[in-house]
């Protein structure tokens, strides 16, 4: 390194807050560059409108029938999968049943419910780590936590096994609909506890995890930029109990 340039002339004394701000700004630029992909451009707005209009006027038509109609009558080739994507985006918001309120269920069963979530931690080299936390809703106590760079279904299932021993009294575990929770995970967790997914577009359905994540970031992770997975595992256990 000394043969390339004199690194001592590049040293600058800055405040920790400044260094953290530089790190976050650098990660945003890095992730923006990494997320760029050629991909297919979105369909024109008028074509999106035609797809939703055809679906509303013909309830029995599926995405494949709509794609064939566009090809035969308008000469527009659109994949059925693309049609399905715009049909999902245009669905009206679901109106919850007031007799089966989620909040009522949580209050009635808080002592036998645990909630889990993944929190993203960025290392000094812009590597993404996943911090998995399991909370008890009744007491807000941290039941289990661990760190990984690859959140596979097998790894997540093992965390549930460690967090919920065979003699536990919990009946439900709540998690959101993030793709990080694979569809094959819930049936395997059913041997330990019943898994419940939060309603669509309802972040307040797991407000305990959201509040804990905010406190964890403000009181711990904002002051820590780990170098690697081992560093975060070594520093985190004491910090998570303080944040809880």
């Amino acid at each position: 390194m000394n043969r390339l340039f004199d690194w001592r002339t590049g040293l600058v004394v800055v405040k920790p807050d400044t260094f953290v701000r530089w790190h976050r700004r650098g990660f945003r630029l890095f992730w923006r560059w990494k997320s760029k992909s050629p991909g297919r451009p979105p369909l024109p707005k008028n074509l999106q409108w035609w797809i939703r209009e055809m679906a509303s006027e013909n309830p029995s038509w599926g995405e494949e029938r709509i794609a064939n109609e566009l090809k035969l009558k308008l000469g527009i080739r659109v994949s059925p999968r693309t049609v399905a994507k715009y049909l999902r985006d245009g669905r009206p918001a679901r109106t919850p049943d007031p007799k089966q309120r989620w909040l009522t269920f949580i209050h009635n069963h808080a002592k036998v419910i645990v909630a889990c979530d993944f929190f993203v931690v960025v290392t000094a080299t812009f590597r993404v780590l996943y911090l998995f936390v399991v909370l008890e809703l009744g007491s807000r106590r941290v039941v289990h936590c661990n760190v990984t760079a690859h959140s596979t279904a097998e790894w997540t299932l093992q965390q549930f096994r460690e967090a919920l021993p065979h003699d536990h009294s919990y009946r439900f575990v709540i998690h959101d609909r993030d793709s990080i929770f694979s569809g094959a995970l819930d049936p395997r967790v059913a041997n330990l506890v019943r898994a419940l997914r939060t309603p669509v577009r309802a972040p307040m359905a797991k407000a305990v995890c959201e509040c804990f994540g905010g406190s964890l970031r403000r009181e711990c992770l904002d002051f820590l930029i780990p170098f690697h997975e081992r560093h975060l595992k070594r520093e985190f256990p004491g910090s998570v109990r303080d944040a809880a």
Side-chain angles (χ1 to χ4, degrees):
M1 185 65 71
N2 290 332
R3 284 178 287 182
L4 299 177
F5 68 95
D6 186 8
W7 58 269
R8 295 179 181 84
T9 61
L11 294 179
V12 180
V13 178
V14 297
K15 294 182 178 179
D17 294 343
T18 304
F19 184 76
V20 171
R21 186 172 67 252
W22 288 351
H23 180 262
R24 290 179 178 174
R25 187 180 302 171
F27 179 72
R28 284 197 295 267
L29 294 175
F30 170 76
W31 193 258
R32 188 179 305 168
W33 168 80
K34 185 178 180 180
S35 301
K36 285 184 178 179
S37 58
R40 295 183 179 180
L43 296 180
K45 294 293 184 180
N46 59 342
L47 185 54
Q48 297 180 27
W49 181 85
W50 273 112
I51 290 175
R52 298 189 180 104
E53 189 71 13
M54 294 171 68
S56 62
E57 293 181 357
N58 305 275
S60 61
W61 288 9
E63 56 268 17
E64 187 171 355
R65 174 67 184 276
I66 294 176
N68 291 335
E69 292 289 331
L70 291 173
K71 179 181 178 182
L72 293 176
K73 296 184 178 179
L74 300 179
I76 301 176
R77 300 178 64 91
V78 180
S79 169
R81 184 175 299 179
T82 303
V83 172
K85 180 181 69 173
Y86 289 105
L87 291 180
R88 289 194 300 268
D89 294 342
R91 287 180 179 176
R94 184 180 64 88
T95 303
D97 185 356
K99 298 180 182 179
Q100 300 291 333
R101 295 184 60 196
W102 179 268
L103 185 60
T104 303
F105 169 78
I106 296 298
H107 283 172
N108 292 340
H109 301 85
K111 295 183 179 180
V112 294
I113 297 178
V114 292
C116 63
D117 204 353
F118 282 91
F119 302 101
V120 175
V121 183
V122 182
T123 66
T125 57
F126 299 152
R127 187 184 181 192
V128 177
L129 300 179
Y130 299 96
L131 177 62
F132 181 71
V133 178
V134 180
L135 295 170
E136 183 183 280
L137 291 192
S139 62
R140 273 46 171 189
R141 181 175 61 90
V142 178
V143 177
H144 179 75
C145 62
N146 205 346
V147 181
T148 183
H150 307 285
S151 55
T152 62
E154 289 293 338
W155 184 89
T156 308
L157 180 61
Q158 180 60 32
Q159 303 314 303
F160 280 118
R161 289 170 178 164
E162 296 178 6
L164 306 174
H166 67 281
D167 57 347
H168 70 84
S169 59
Y170 303 115
R171 295 175 54 194
F172 307 98
V173 59
I174 297 176
H175 64 76
D176 56 23
R177 295 175 176 267
D178 196 302
S179 58
I180 202 169
F181 294 100
S182 64
L185 180 63
D186 287 357
R188 303 177 68 179
V189 174
N191 296 328
L192 302 171
V193 67
R194 181 181 176 185
L196 300 177
R197 291 193 175 192
T198 58
V200 179
R201 297 179 182 178
M204 292 303 295
K206 59 182 187 71
V208 174
C209 281
E210 297 292 341
C211 292
F212 175 80
S215 300
L216 180 64
R217 193 160 297 281
R218 290 188 300 269
E219 300 177 17
C220 175
L221 297 179
D222 282 350
F223 305 97
L224 173 67
I225 300 178
F227 292 103
H228 41 66
E229 186 176 343
R230 295 192 307 275
H231 181 201
L232 185 60
K233 285 183 177 181
R234 184 173 65 249
E235 298 293 337
F236 187 77
S239 302
V240 71
R241 292 186 180 90
D242 296 339

